Amino acid sequence: MAFHQSFSSENRTSSAPSSGTQTPVHTSHSPSMSSSMISSMWTGLVRHFTIDGSGDMSPSRQPPPSRSRGGSGGPPHLAHSSTEPTHQKAKDGINDVFVPSHLRRTASPFRPPPLDPILLHGYKESTSPSARLLTTNVAEEIRIMLPERLRIVEDWKLIYSLEQDGASLNTLYQKAAMVHGQRVGFVLVVRDEAGGTFGGYLSEYPRPTPGYFGNGECFLWRVSTLAGLPPPPSADTTNINISRSTTISNPTPSTVANTESSQTSAPPDLLTDAPSGAPTEAASQYAGMLVSPAEGPKRAVSSAVSESLRFKAFPYSGVNEYYINCETGFLSMGAGDGHYGLWLDDSLYRGRSGRSQTFGNEPLSDEGEKFGILGVELWVLGAI
């Protein structure tokens, strides 16, 4: 007790008098005081590492208050109306994504390698170029719309062709069932009597089922060739031959070398891969020039106006889930509002195409909603 009294008197004598109210000195070390000190120390440490490490926001280092557009300073409560922010959030992992100060994130210089060209397998040597519905140019356009796992596939295999296997929908189903169980995709190609080429992508193999199947990867497509724009009326067209007729005779062995070195073959048709002057009635009708097969070898018509490929795809719209519907009597893709996106009968002789809600497509054939079929092909992608 004597020690306590001496300690208290010593404290009273050591404190110097000052004007104003003085803060009393607590001599007892209670548990509550210890916890408050520890709490204040912990708060200081956290504040030091979270704010002082990324930028000290003390009053002495805070940026000056921003000025308004008029150039005069404003009160602090109107800082939100200024043109410049008063401070930025620290990227410390709490307020924003943490980024080390010694690292600078830049775009990677590495790019994925280009895709290999598509190779079409399955055509017989006896199949004429005009009867081959799919070309590499059209396949490359379809490739853009394919899922990623199939976009890298360069080998496309023909599993059904009306020209090679006969006109039978049942045969198409049997051919498609041969790759059942594999993670593959299917490209359906149709050519109508007007020479138009169109079709669809099927995420599952076509087969007779009582309901709809497939997924949102399915889509419809159509392709056509567009002639280039003619020169304007003010251009000089004196030396431009819009069309020409050439008579070609059978080359003799002595002139074959000279012919190959001096003449250039006509560019292939974008839809059939056949030469633009090939003696095919379908290709001639599609280009707006009628050339009978009998006089075809003697007459080749070429145009100075270049042609371009126009490809249109109609992906899944999300309105309904009528992707694929197959029965023994027909094959269809897309439906809704009483219209099929694409419909083929069992004999592969007649078809229909209207505006379906599934894909939001336009009629695929230029003949109208009903069209006649000249050829059908089914290609498989990713098969082993």
Coordinates of all heavy atoms in Angstrom, one line a residue, residues 251-327:
P251 N -6.2 -30.8 -130.1 CA -4.7 -30.5 -130.3 C -4.0 -31.8 -130.8 O -4.4 -32.9 -130.4 CB -4.3 -30.1 -128.9 CG -5.2 -30.8 -128.0 CD -6.5 -30.8 -128.6
T252 N -3.1 -31.6 -131.6 CA -2.2 -32.7 -132.1 C -1.0 -32.8 -131.2 O -0.7 -31.9 -130.5 CB -1.8 -32.4 -133.6 OG1 -1.0 -31.1 -133.5 CG2 -3.0 -32.2 -134.5
P253 N -0.4 -34.0 -131.2 CA 0.8 -34.2 -130.4 C 1.9 -33.1 -130.5 O 2.6 -32.7 -129.6 CB 1.3 -35.5 -130.7 CG 0.1 -36.3 -131.3 CD -0.7 -35.2 -132.0
S254 N 2.0 -32.6 -131.8 CA 3.1 -31.6 -132.0 C 2.7 -30.2 -131.5 O 3.6 -29.4 -131.3 CB 3.3 -31.4 -133.5 OG 2.1 -31.0 -134.2
T255 N 1.5 -29.9 -131.2 CA 1.1 -28.6 -130.7 C 0.6 -28.6 -129.2 O 0.2 -27.6 -128.7 CB -0.1 -28.1 -131.5 OG1 -1.2 -29.0 -131.4 CG2 0.2 -28.0 -133.0
V256 N 0.7 -29.8 -128.6 CA 0.3 -29.8 -127.2 C 1.2 -29.0 -126.3 O 0.8 -28.2 -125.5 CB 0.3 -31.3 -126.7 CG1 0.1 -31.3 -125.2 CG2 -0.8 -32.1 -127.4
A257 N 2.5 -29.1 -126.5 CA 3.5 -28.3 -125.7 C 3.3 -26.8 -125.9 O 3.3 -26.0 -124.9 CB 4.9 -28.7 -126.0
N258 N 3.1 -26.4 -127.2 CA 2.9 -25.0 -127.4 C 1.6 -24.5 -126.9 O 1.5 -23.3 -126.4 CB 3.0 -24.7 -129.0 CG 4.3 -25.0 -129.5 OD1 5.3 -24.9 -128.8 ND2 4.4 -25.4 -130.8
T259 N 0.6 -25.3 -126.9 CA -0.8 -24.9 -126.4 C -0.7 -24.7 -124.9 O -1.3 -23.8 -124.4 CB -1.8 -26.0 -126.8 OG1 -1.8 -26.1 -128.2 CG2 -3.2 -25.5 -126.3
E260 N -0.1 -25.7 -124.2 CA 0.0 -25.6 -122.8 C 0.8 -24.4 -122.3 O 0.5 -23.8 -121.2 CB 0.5 -26.9 -122.2 CG -0.4 -28.1 -122.4 CD 0.2 -29.3 -121.8 OE1 1.4 -29.3 -121.4 OE2 -0.4 -30.4 -121.7
S261 N 1.8 -24.0 -123.1 CA 2.7 -22.9 -122.6 C 2.1 -21.5 -123.0 O 2.4 -20.5 -122.4 CB 4.1 -23.0 -123.2 OG 4.0 -23.0 -124.7
S262 N 1.2 -21.5 -124.0 CA 0.8 -20.2 -124.5 C -0.6 -19.9 -124.1 O -1.0 -18.7 -124.0 CB 0.8 -20.1 -126.0 OG 0.0 -21.1 -126.6
Q263 N -1.5 -20.9 -123.8 CA -2.9 -20.6 -123.4 C -3.1 -20.9 -121.9 O -2.4 -21.7 -121.3 CB -3.8 -21.5 -124.2 CG -3.8 -21.2 -125.7 CD -4.8 -22.1 -126.5 OE1 -5.4 -22.9 -125.9 NE2 -4.9 -21.8 -127.8
T264 N -4.0 -20.2 -121.4 CA -4.3 -20.3 -120.0 C -5.7 -20.8 -119.9 O -6.6 -20.3 -120.5 CB -4.2 -18.9 -119.2 OG1 -2.9 -18.4 -119.4 CG2 -4.5 -19.1 -117.7
S265 N -6.0 -21.8 -119.0 CA -7.3 -22.4 -118.9 C -8.2 -21.4 -118.2 O -7.8 -20.6 -117.5 CB -7.2 -23.7 -118.1 OG -6.7 -23.4 -116.8
A266 N -9.5 -21.6 -118.5 CA -10.5 -20.7 -118.0 C -10.6 -20.9 -116.5 O -10.4 -22.0 -116.0 CB -11.9 -20.9 -118.6
P267 N -10.9 -19.9 -115.7 CA -11.0 -20.0 -114.3 C -12.2 -20.9 -113.9 O -13.2 -21.0 -114.6 CB -11.2 -18.6 -113.8 CG -11.8 -17.9 -114.9 CD -11.2 -18.5 -116.1
P268 N -12.0 -21.8 -112.8 CA -13.1 -22.7 -112.5 C -14.3 -22.0 -111.9 O -14.2 -20.9 -111.4 CB -12.4 -23.6 -111.4 CG -11.4 -22.7 -110.8 CD -10.9 -21.9 -111.9
D269 N -15.4 -22.6 -112.1 CA -16.7 -22.1 -111.5 C -16.6 -22.2 -110.0 O -16.2 -23.2 -109.5 CB -17.9 -22.8 -112.1 CG -19.2 -22.2 -111.6 OD1 -19.6 -21.2 -112.3 OD2 -19.8 -22.7 -110.7
L270 N -17.1 -21.2 -109.3 CA -17.0 -21.2 -107.8 C -17.9 -22.2 -107.2 O -17.7 -22.6 -106.1 CB -17.4 -19.8 -107.3 CG -16.4 -18.7 -107.7 CD1 -16.9 -17.3 -107.2 CD2 -15.0 -19.0 -107.2
L271 N -19.0 -22.6 -107.9 CA -19.9 -23.6 -107.3 C -19.6 -25.0 -107.7 O -19.9 -25.9 -106.9 CB -21.4 -23.2 -107.7 CG -21.9 -21.9 -107.2 CD1 -23.3 -21.7 -107.7 CD2 -21.9 -22.0 -105.7
T272 N -19.1 -25.2 -108.9 CA -18.9 -26.6 -109.4 C -17.4 -27.0 -109.5 O -17.1 -28.1 -109.8 CB -19.6 -26.8 -110.7 OG1 -19.1 -25.9 -111.7 CG2 -21.1 -26.5 -110.5
D273 N -16.5 -26.0 -109.4 CA -15.1 -26.3 -109.7 C -14.8 -26.7 -111.1 O -13.7 -27.1 -111.5 CB -14.5 -27.3 -108.8 CG -14.0 -26.7 -107.5 OD1 -13.8 -25.5 -107.5 OD2 -13.7 -27.4 -106.5
A274 N -15.8 -26.6 -112.0 CA -15.6 -26.9 -113.4 C -15.2 -25.6 -114.1 O -15.5 -24.5 -113.7 CB -16.9 -27.4 -114.0
P275 N -14.5 -25.7 -115.3 CA -14.1 -24.5 -116.0 C -15.3 -23.7 -116.4 O -16.4 -24.2 -116.6 CB -13.4 -25.1 -117.2 CG -12.9 -26.4 -116.8 CD -13.9 -26.9 -115.8
S276 N -15.1 -22.4 -116.4 CA -16.3 -21.5 -116.7 C -16.8 -21.7 -118.1 O -18.0 -21.4 -118.3 CB -15.8 -20.0 -116.5 OG -14.8 -19.7 -117.4
G277 N -16.0 -22.3 -119.0 CA -16.5 -22.6 -120.3 C -16.9 -24.0 -120.5 O -17.0 -24.5 -121.7
A278 N -17.1 -24.8 -119.4 CA -17.4 -26.2 -119.6 C -18.8 -26.4 -120.2 O -19.7 -25.6 -120.0 CB -17.4 -26.9 -118.2
P279 N -18.9 -27.4 -121.0 CA -20.2 -27.7 -121.8 C -21.2 -28.3 -120.9 O -21.6 -29.5 -121.1 CB -19.7 -28.6 -122.9 CG -18.6 -29.4 -122.4 CD -17.9 -28.4 -121.5
T280 N -21.7 -27.7 -119.9 CA -22.7 -28.2 -119.0 C -23.9 -27.3 -119.1 O -23.8 -26.1 -119.0 CB -22.2 -28.3 -117.5 OG1 -21.8 -27.0 -117.2 CG2 -21.0 -29.2 -117.4
E281 N -25.1 -27.9 -119.3 CA -26.3 -27.2 -119.5 C -26.7 -26.5 -118.2 O -27.2 -25.4 -118.2 CB -27.4 -28.1 -119.9 CG -28.7 -27.4 -120.3 CD -29.7 -28.3 -120.9 OE1 -29.4 -29.5 -121.0 OE2 -30.8 -27.9 -121.2
A282 N -26.5 -27.2 -117.0 CA -26.9 -26.6 -115.8 C -26.1 -25.3 -115.4 O -26.6 -24.3 -115.0 CB -26.8 -27.6 -114.6
A283 N -24.8 -25.4 -115.6 CA -23.9 -24.3 -115.4 C -24.2 -23.2 -116.3 O -24.1 -22.0 -116.0 CB -22.4 -24.7 -115.4
S284 N -24.5 -23.5 -117.6 CA -24.8 -22.4 -118.6 C -26.1 -21.7 -118.2 O -26.2 -20.5 -118.4 CB -24.8 -23.0 -120.0 OG -23.6 -23.7 -120.3
Q285 N -27.1 -22.5 -117.8 CA -28.3 -21.8 -117.5 C -28.1 -20.9 -116.2 O -28.7 -19.9 -116.2 CB -29.4 -22.9 -117.2 CG -29.9 -23.6 -118.4 CD -30.9 -24.7 -118.1 OE1 -31.1 -24.9 -116.9 NE2 -31.5 -25.3 -119.1
Y286 N -27.3 -21.4 -115.3 CA -27.1 -20.6 -114.1 C -26.4 -19.3 -114.4 O -26.6 -18.3 -113.7 CB -26.3 -21.4 -113.1 CG -26.2 -20.8 -111.7 CD1 -27.3 -20.8 -110.8 CD2 -25.1 -20.1 -111.3 CE1 -27.3 -20.2 -109.6 CE2 -25.0 -19.5 -110.1 CZ -26.1 -19.5 -109.2 OH -26.0 -18.9 -108.0
A287 N -25.5 -19.3 -115.3 CA -24.8 -18.1 -115.7 C -25.6 -17.2 -116.7 O -25.1 -16.2 -117.1 CB -23.5 -18.5 -116.3
G288 N -26.8 -17.7 -117.1 CA -27.6 -16.9 -118.0 C -27.3 -17.1 -119.4 O -27.7 -16.3 -120.3
M289 N -26.5 -18.1 -119.8 CA -26.1 -18.4 -121.1 C -26.5 -19.9 -121.4 O -26.0 -20.8 -120.7 CB -24.6 -18.2 -121.3 CG -24.3 -16.7 -121.2 SD -22.5 -16.5 -121.2 CE -22.0 -17.3 -119.7
L290 N -27.2 -20.2 -122.4 CA -27.7 -21.5 -122.7 C -26.7 -22.1 -123.8 O -26.7 -21.6 -124.9 CB -29.1 -21.5 -123.2 CG -29.7 -22.9 -123.6 CD1 -29.7 -23.8 -122.4 CD2 -31.1 -22.7 -124.1
V291 N -26.0 -23.2 -123.4 CA -25.2 -23.8 -124.4 C -25.5 -25.3 -124.3 O -25.4 -25.9 -123.2 CB -23.7 -23.6 -124.0 CG1 -22.8 -24.3 -125.0 CG2 -23.4 -22.1 -124.0
S292 N -25.9 -25.9 -125.3 CA -26.3 -27.3 -125.4 C -25.0 -28.2 -125.3 O -23.9 -27.8 -125.7 CB -27.0 -27.7 -126.6 OG -26.2 -27.4 -127.8
P293 N -25.1 -29.4 -124.7 CA -23.9 -30.3 -124.6 C -23.4 -30.6 -125.9 O -22.2 -30.9 -126.0 CB -24.5 -31.5 -123.8 CG -25.7 -31.0 -123.1 CD -26.3 -29.9 -124.0
A294 N -24.2 -30.6 -127.0 CA -23.7 -31.1 -128.3 C -22.7 -30.0 -128.9 O -21.7 -30.4 -129.4 CB -24.9 -31.2 -129.3
E295 N -23.0 -28.8 -128.7 CA -22.1 -27.8 -129.3 C -21.1 -27.2 -128.2 O -20.3 -26.3 -128.5 CB -22.9 -26.6 -129.8 CG -23.8 -25.8 -128.8 CD -24.5 -24.7 -129.4 OE1 -24.2 -24.3 -130.5 OE2 -25.4 -24.2 -128.7
G296 N -21.2 -27.8 -127.0 CA -20.3 -27.3 -126.0 C -18.8 -27.4 -126.3 O -18.1 -26.5 -126.1
P297 N -18.4 -28.6 -126.8 CA -16.9 -28.7 -127.0 C -16.4 -27.7 -128.1 O -15.3 -27.4 -128.2 CB -16.8 -30.1 -127.5 CG -18.0 -30.8 -126.9 CD -19.1 -29.8 -126.9
K298 N -17.4 -27.2 -129.0 CA -16.9 -26.3 -130.0 C -17.1 -24.9 -129.6 O -16.6 -24.0 -130.3 CB -17.8 -26.6 -131.3 CG -17.6 -28.0 -131.9 CD -18.4 -28.1 -133.1 CE -18.3 -29.5 -133.7 NZ -19.1 -29.7 -134.9
R299 N -17.8 -24.6 -128.5 CA -18.1 -23.2 -128.2 C -17.8 -23.1 -126.7 O -18.4 -23.8 -125.9 CB -19.5 -22.9 -128.5 CG -19.9 -21.4 -128.2 CD -21.4 -21.2 -128.5 NE -21.8 -19.8 -128.1 CZ -23.0 -19.4 -128.2 NH1 -24.0 -20.2 -128.5 NH2 -23.3 -18.2 -127.8
A300 N -17.0 -22.1 -126.3 CA -16.8 -21.8 -124.9 C -17.0 -20.3 -124.8 O -16.4 -19.5 -125.5 CB -15.3 -22.2 -124.6
V301 N -17.8 -20.0 -123.8 CA -18.2 -18.6 -123.5 C -17.5 -18.2 -122.2 O -17.7 -18.8 -121.2 CB -19.7 -18.4 -123.5 CG1 -20.0 -17.0 -123.2 CG2 -20.3 -18.9 -124.8
S302 N -16.8 -17.2 -122.2 CA -16.2 -16.6 -121.0 C -16.6 -15.2 -120.9 O -16.8 -14.5 -121.9 CB -14.6 -16.7 -121.1 OG -14.2 -16.0 -122.2
S303 N -16.6 -14.7 -119.7 CA -17.1 -13.4 -119.4 C -15.9 -12.6 -118.8 O -15.2 -13.1 -118.0 CB -18.3 -13.4 -118.4 OG -18.6 -12.1 -118.1
A304 N -15.8 -11.3 -119.2 CA -14.8 -10.4 -118.7 C -15.2 -9.9 -117.3 O -14.3 -9.3 -116.6 CB -14.5 -9.3 -119.6
V305 N -16.4 -10.1 -116.9 CA -16.9 -9.6 -115.6 C -16.6 -10.6 -114.6 O -17.0 -11.8 -114.7 CB -18.4 -9.2 -115.7 CG1 -18.9 -8.7 -114.3 CG2 -18.7 -8.3 -116.8
S306 N -15.9 -10.3 -113.6 CA -15.5 -11.3 -112.5 C -16.7 -11.6 -111.7 O -17.6 -10.9 -111.5 CB -14.4 -10.7 -111.7 OG -14.8 -9.5 -111.0
E307 N -16.6 -12.9 -111.1 CA -17.7 -13.4 -110.3 C -17.2 -13.5 -108.8 O -16.0 -13.8 -108.6 CB -18.2 -14.7 -110.8 CG -18.9 -14.7 -112.1 CD -19.4 -16.0 -112.6 OE1 -19.0 -17.0 -111.9 OE2 -20.2 -16.1 -113.5
S308 N -18.1 -13.3 -107.9 CA -17.7 -13.4 -106.5 C -18.7 -14.3 -105.8 O -19.9 -14.5 -106.3 CB -17.8 -12.0 -105.8 OG -19.0 -11.4 -105.9
L309 N -18.3 -14.9 -104.7 CA -19.1 -15.9 -104.0 C -19.9 -15.2 -102.9 O -19.3 -14.5 -102.1 CB -18.2 -17.0 -103.5 CG -18.9 -18.3 -102.9 CD1 -19.6 -19.0 -104.0 CD2 -17.9 -19.1 -102.2
R310 N -21.2 -15.4 -102.8 CA -22.0 -14.9 -101.8 C -22.5 -16.0 -100.9 O -23.3 -16.8 -101.4 CB -23.2 -14.1 -102.4 CG -24.0 -13.4 -101.3 CD -25.2 -12.6 -101.9 NE -25.9 -11.9 -100.9 CZ -27.0 -11.2 -101.2 NH1 -27.5 -11.1 -102.4 NH2 -27.7 -10.6 -100.2
F311 N -22.1 -16.0 -99.7 CA -22.5 -17.1 -98.7 C -23.3 -16.4 -97.6 O -22.9 -15.4 -97.0 CB -21.3 -17.8 -98.2 CG -21.6 -18.8 -97.2 CD1 -21.9 -20.1 -97.6 CD2 -21.6 -18.5 -95.8 CE1 -22.1 -21.1 -96.6 CE2 -21.9 -19.5 -94.9 CZ -22.1 -20.8 -95.3
K312 N -24.5 -17.0 -97.3 CA -25.3 -16.6 -96.2 C -25.7 -17.7 -95.3 O -26.1 -18.8 -95.8 CB -26.6 -16.0 -96.8 CG -26.4 -14.8 -97.7 CD -27.7 -14.2 -98.1 CE -28.5 -13.5 -97.0 NZ -29.7 -12.8 -97.4
A313 N -25.5 -17.5 -94.0 CA -25.7 -18.5 -93.0 C -26.9 -18.0 -92.1 O -27.0 -16.8 -91.8 CB -24.5 -18.8 -92.2
F314 N -27.6 -19.0 -91.6 CA -28.8 -18.7 -90.7 C -28.6 -19.5 -89.5 O -29.1 -20.7 -89.4 CB -30.1 -19.0 -91.4 CG -30.2 -18.3 -92.8 CD1 -29.9 -18.9 -94.0 CD2 -30.7 -17.0 -92.9 CE1 -30.0 -18.3 -95.2 CE2 -30.8 -16.3 -94.1 CZ -30.5 -17.0 -95.2
P315 N -28.0 -19.0 -88.4 CA -27.8 -19.8 -87.2 C -29.1 -19.9 -86.4 O -30.1 -19.3 -86.7 CB -26.7 -19.0 -86.5 CG -26.9 -17.6 -86.9 CD -27.4 -17.7 -88.4
Y316 N -29.0 -20.6 -85.3 CA -30.1 -20.9 -84.4 C -30.6 -19.5 -83.8 O -29.8 -18.8 -83.3 CB -29.7 -21.8 -83.3 CG -30.7 -22.1 -82.3 CD1 -32.0 -22.5 -82.6 CD2 -30.4 -21.9 -80.9 CE1 -33.0 -22.7 -81.6 CE2 -31.3 -22.1 -79.9 CZ -32.6 -22.5 -80.3 OH -33.6 -22.7 -79.3
S317 N -31.9 -19.3 -83.9 CA -32.5 -18.1 -83.4 C -32.9 -18.1 -81.9 O -33.0 -17.1 -81.3 CB -33.7 -17.7 -84.2 OG -34.7 -18.7 -84.1
G318 N -33.1 -19.3 -81.4 CA -33.5 -19.4 -80.0 C -35.0 -19.4 -79.8 O -35.5 -19.4 -78.6
V319 N -35.8 -19.2 -80.8 CA -37.3 -19.2 -80.7 C -37.9 -20.5 -80.2 O -38.7 -20.6 -79.3 CB -37.9 -18.7 -82.0 CG1 -39.4 -18.7 -81.9 CG2 -37.4 -17.3 -82.3
N320 N -37.4 -21.6 -80.9 CA -37.9 -22.9 -80.5 C -36.7 -23.9 -80.7 O -35.6 -23.5 -81.0 CB -39.1 -23.3 -81.4 CG -38.8 -23.2 -82.9 OD1 -37.8 -23.6 -83.4 ND2 -39.8 -22.7 -83.6
E321 N -37.0 -25.1 -80.5 CA -36.0 -26.2 -80.6 C -36.3 -27.2 -81.6 O -36.0 -28.4 -81.5 CB -35.8 -26.8 -79.2 CG -35.3 -25.9 -78.1 CD -35.1 -26.5 -76.8 OE1 -35.5 -27.7 -76.6 OE2 -34.7 -25.9 -75.8
Y322 N -36.8 -26.8 -82.7 CA -37.2 -27.7 -83.8 C -36.0 -27.8 -84.8 O -36.0 -27.4 -85.9 CB -38.4 -27.2 -84.6 CG -39.6 -27.0 -83.7 CD1 -40.6 -26.1 -84.0 CD2 -39.8 -27.8 -82.6 CE1 -41.8 -26.0 -83.3 CE2 -40.9 -27.7 -81.8 CZ -41.9 -26.8 -82.1 OH -43.0 -26.6 -81.4
Y323 N -34.9 -28.4 -84.3 CA -33.6 -28.4 -85.1 C -33.7 -29.4 -86.2 O -33.7 -29.0 -87.4 CB -32.4 -28.8 -84.2 CG -32.3 -28.0 -82.9 CD1 -32.6 -28.5 -81.7 CD2 -31.9 -26.7 -83.0 CE1 -32.4 -27.8 -80.5 CE2 -31.8 -25.9 -81.8 CZ -32.0 -26.5 -80.6 OH -31.9 -25.8 -79.4
I324 N -33.9 -30.7 -85.9 CA -33.9 -31.7 -87.0 C -35.1 -32.6 -86.7 O -35.3 -33.0 -85.5 CB -32.6 -32.5 -87.0 CG1 -31.4 -31.6 -87.0 CG2 -32.5 -33.5 -88.1 CD1 -30.1 -32.3 -86.7
N325 N -35.8 -33.0 -87.8 CA -36.9 -33.9 -87.7 C -36.8 -34.9 -88.9 O -36.9 -34.4 -90.0 CB -38.2 -33.2 -87.6 CG -39.4 -34.2 -87.4 OD1 -39.2 -35.3 -86.9 ND2 -40.6 -33.8 -87.7
C326 N -36.6 -36.1 -88.6 CA -36.5 -37.1 -89.7 C -37.5 -38.2 -89.5 O -37.6 -38.7 -88.4 CB -35.1 -37.7 -89.7 SG -33.8 -36.5 -90.1
E327 N -38.1 -38.6 -90.6 CA -39.0 -39.8 -90.6 C -38.7 -40.6 -91.9 O -37.8 -40.2 -92.7 CB -40.4 -39.4 -90.5 CG -40.9 -38.7 -89.2 CD -42.4 -38.4 -89.2 OE1 -43.1 -38.9 -90.1 OE2 -42.8 -37.8 -88.2

